[in-house]
Amino acid sequence: MPNVMVALPNTAFDSVSHPKLLHKLQAYGFSGELLHILSDFLCDRLQRVVLPNGFSTFRPVISGFPQGSVLGPVLFLIYINDIVDLFDNGAVCTKLYADDVKIYLEITNDSDCVTLQNGINKIYAWSNEWQLGFANDKCQHNHITLSTVAHLVDYSVSGMDLPTEANIRDLGLLVDSRLSFRDHINSIVSRGNVRAAQIWRCWFTAK
């Protein structure tokens, strides 16, 4: 089962277009006073760069959310939520977490490989339409199988081949191509040994 992870850039929260976000909010049924409040929260903000020897002029903020706001993450999730609508047929499975997008599909023949690549193309087209580019250095592909004979296919995003990784870190968990979790367990044990050694040294130092 190929597992493709596509990451939006670290600046994704700052790249959300205010007019397009308001358009999506209206499509989701936001209207009236609530929509006006959200519009006021986003729009008519100014910012400037301050350096030790001077500062820039104020410029309008036309994208992104105020730093540290509670509404920011919620509005971002609303903005990217329709990615799952790209795959209404259910052939390709989709998972979203913050600014990470994961799609996967059980491969039984060459047609399934084409379906998965088409899924990647759909997400790429979506990112162009809604002005959220990919963090290319974080996009990767992982093939999970117990079989020695598998459909090993190269997948790509906008002409760039996705690197195939034996292990993918997913929400802190190292997922390997055979789901043995050996590397994940070894990583936890290694970190535990380091922490135990630090405590041991502190104990002897205190004595």
Side-chain angles (χ1 to χ4, degrees):
M1 177 183 292
N3 174 23
V4 176
M5 184 173 293
V6 177
L8 299 172
N10 293 333
T11 58
F13 277 58
D14 299 325
S15 303
V16 171
S17 165
H18 291 165
K20 291 188 175 183
L21 173 59
L22 292 174
H23 171 76
K24 286 197 174 187
L25 289 174
Q26 288 179 293
Y28 278 121
F30 289 78
S31 61
E33 190 65 24
L34 177 57
L35 185 62
H36 288 307
I37 291 173
L38 294 175
S39 177
D40 290 341
F41 172 74
L42 296 169
C43 303
D44 298 327
R45 294 179 180 271
L46 301 175
Q47 67 179 8
R48 66 176 178 176
V49 177
V50 178
L51 298 173
N53 297 325
F55 47 83
S56 70
T57 58
F58 281 101
R59 303 291 294 177
V61 179
I62 61 173
S63 64
F65 310 110
Q67 294 284 341
S69 65
V70 176
L71 274 178
V74 176
L75 292 175
F76 180 79
L77 292 178
I78 292 175
Y79 194 74
I80 68 170
N81 187 61
D82 61 331
I83 290 179
V84 298
D85 296 335
L86 301 174
F87 307 101
D88 283 339
N89 58 9
V92 177
C93 299
T94 317
K95 294 290 183 290
L96 306 179
Y97 182 81
D99 56 355
D100 287 333
V101 183
K102 185 193 312 169
I103 63 173
Y104 56 94
L105 173 67
E106 181 180 1
I107 300 296
T108 58
N109 51 52
D110 292 339
S111 177
D112 292 332
C113 299
V114 175
T115 299
L116 186 59
Q117 179 60 61
N118 288 339
I120 299 172
N121 296 340
K122 287 181 180 179
I123 295 181
Y124 180 71
W126 179 95
S127 72
N128 286 332
E129 180 180 358
W130 298 103
Q131 297 177 245
L132 284 182
F134 287 163
N136 291 339
D137 57 328
K138 295 182 180 179
C139 299
Q140 51 194 232
H141 161 244
N142 176 254
H143 195 93
I144 298 175
T145 181
L146 298 177
S147 173
T148 56
V149 179
H151 288 78
L152 299 178
V153 177
D154 293 328
Y155 299 95
S156 63
V157 175
S158 181
M160 181 199 75
D161 289 338
L162 288 174
T164 301
E165 303 290 343
N167 294 287
I168 287 183
R169 185 170 294 279
D170 186 14
L171 301 182
L173 184 70
L174 274 177
V175 180
D176 61 86
S177 58
R178 297 183 67 83
L179 293 182
S180 69
F181 298 102
R182 184 179 297 107
D183 290 334
H184 179 71
I185 294 170
N186 290 339
S187 175
I188 293 176
V189 172
S190 177
R191 293 199 303 269
N193 288 336
V194 171
R195 184 60 57 86
Q198 291 173 340
I199 296 173
W200 184 261
R201 284 196 300 271
C202 291
W203 188 77
F204 273 103
T205 301
K207 290 183 63 178

